[in-house]
Amino acid sequence: MKNVAAALTISAASAALAAVAYAAELPTWAYPVNPPGGAGQGAQAAAQDKTLYEVPDSTVKLTRAQIGGRPVVPDWHPNDHPPMPDIVAKGRGNEVRACGFCHQPSGVGRPENAALTGLTPEYIRQQVLAFRNGERQGSEPKRVPQNLMIAVAKAVSDAELAQAAVYFSELKAKSFVKVVEAAMVPKTTVAGGMVVKTHEGGMEPIGNRLIEVPDDFERAENRDPRTTYTAYVPPGTLAKGQALVTTGGNGATIACGVCHGADLKGVADIPTIAGRSPSYIIRQLYDIQNGTRSGAQTALMKQVVAKMTIEDMIAVAAYAASKEP
């Protein structure tokens, strides 16, 4: 009996070591953290700046304070969406930040958060509850967008959540990211919670990374939902991603279409992954593998990510992001 118990212990330990082998070092390029300092000064400067800013293809003009979401979220293209409920447009005082500030009025999100278009009201509700219940902690505790979402989830009422979920679920899914294979990529830094090109310019080897940057940083800083992004990936990534997504890659994972549909646009309350930010997809795969995204809804995904390497995650995310939403 002791020998059986010992064998089971060794087997469990071996399984744990195998899991650790796949849970690679945190891919910091997918979890950008803003440099410390400057937030208070930035807010003060924004309040004093009375310049009216513009973005392409819009007649709207906004001050820096208005772009910052006070008292309502910046809405450069009001014809891109129906009227927003108050919780999306204004939030609730200082208690709940308006949903439309981070996820944007058209629901397309940005690389540092999630697009909400193409999702069902129930899926959106479930995910907010997961943030509220501590099931979506994220693998980088210093990442501001994650912490803001946790705070909002804990403060938003069930009625407000229902209104926001219905609003975002009815919006047309759109993608503004282009996936490009390249051995050399722009040098980057972190600003606004996302990876951006450095002011100095220059190029560097991509290595084993996915680098998703706004094509026009100023437009992104002005929170224009039509801002386009380029996601750079190593050469050969898309072909590898297609194999992993469609066949499972000879046991490396499980074909995504089994649950997410052949077109990757989701089935019922299983979410769409087509056209999503690849940075966002990588964070979800990594979080689930490391246990920082948990809960009953992730049980099947644990099997999917169990053997995936960071290279696999990059390939799957890039291929999914390249598809029409």
Side-chain angles (χ1 to χ4, degrees), residues 57-126:
D57 304 317
S58 174
T59 59
V60 176
K61 298 181 180 182
L62 300 174
T63 65
R64 185 59 61 194
Q66 290 172 320
I67 292 170
R70 302 296 185 186
V72 298
V73 301
D75 191 4
W76 297 105
H77 309 285
N79 293 328
D80 283 2
H81 59 85
M84 293 179 278
D86 282 351
I87 193 62
V88 175
K90 303 176 183 178
R92 177 163 34 89
N94 292 323
E95 298 177 63
V96 184
R97 190 70 186 264
C99 309
F101 182 75
C102 293
H103 299 286
Q104 310 206 82
S106 57
V108 297
R110 302 188 345 152
E112 76 271 20
N113 54 56
L116 300 182
T117 57
L119 304 175
T120 66
E122 179 57 19
Y123 181 80
I124 294 173
R125 188 186 75 85
Q126 290 170 355

Side-chain angles (χ1 to χ4, degrees), residues 12-243:
S14 298
L17 287 172
V20 170
Y22 286 115
E25 183 180 351
L26 181 77
T28 54
W29 40 264
Y31 292 84
V33 175
N34 285 336
Q41 294 177 354
Q44 184 178 8
Q48 296 173 349
D49 185 356
K50 303 305 179 183
T51 304
L52 290 176
Y53 293 88
E54 302 176 75
V55 301
D57 304 317
S58 174
T59 59
V60 176
K61 298 181 180 182
L62 300 174
T63 65
R64 185 59 61 194
Q66 290 172 320
I67 292 170
R70 302 296 185 186
V72 298
V73 301
D75 191 4
W76 297 105
H77 309 285
N79 293 328
D80 283 2
H81 59 85
M84 293 179 278
D86 282 351
I87 193 62
V88 175
K90 303 176 183 178
R92 177 163 34 89
N94 292 323
E95 298 177 63
V96 184
R97 190 70 186 264
C99 309
F101 182 75
C102 293
H103 299 286
Q104 310 206 82
S106 57
V108 297
R110 302 188 345 152
E112 76 271 20
N113 54 56
L116 300 182
T117 57
L119 304 175
T120 66
E122 179 57 19
Y123 181 80
I124 294 173
R125 188 186 75 85
Q126 290 170 355
Q127 295 315 303
V128 174
L129 294 180
F131 280 109
R132 181 186 295 176
N133 298 332
E135 295 172 347
R136 291 192 63 168
Q137 292 290 326
S139 298
E140 172 48 83
K142 298 190 294 293
R143 208 171 68 85
V144 172
Q146 184 86 21
N147 294 329
L148 283 176
M149 189 62 227
I150 292 171
V152 168
K154 290 180 177 179
V156 72
S157 72
D158 290 344
E160 291 167 335
L161 171 54
Q163 291 175 349
V166 169
Y167 171 79
F168 285 116
S169 70
E170 293 178 345
L171 297 173
K172 180 177 174 58
K174 297 178 182 177
S175 176
F176 292 93
V177 62
K178 177 176 65 175
V179 180
V180 174
E181 294 185 345
M184 300 293 290
V185 297
K187 291 183 177 180
T188 58
T189 184
V190 178
M194 69 175 78
V195 175
V196 301
K197 301 172 188 176
T198 62
H199 290 300
E200 297 78 15
M203 304 289 283
E204 64 184 6
I206 190 168
N208 191 29
R209 299 181 296 165
L210 181 150
I211 302 297
E212 184 176 4
V213 294
D215 296 321
D216 183 336
F217 176 61
E218 182 178 358
R219 191 171 183 178
E221 275 289 89
N222 287 339
R223 306 199 74 82
D224 180 1
R226 295 185 186 177
T227 300
T228 58
Y229 298 84
T230 298
Y232 297 97
V233 295
T237 293
L238 288 173
K240 177 175 182 175
Q242 182 178 19

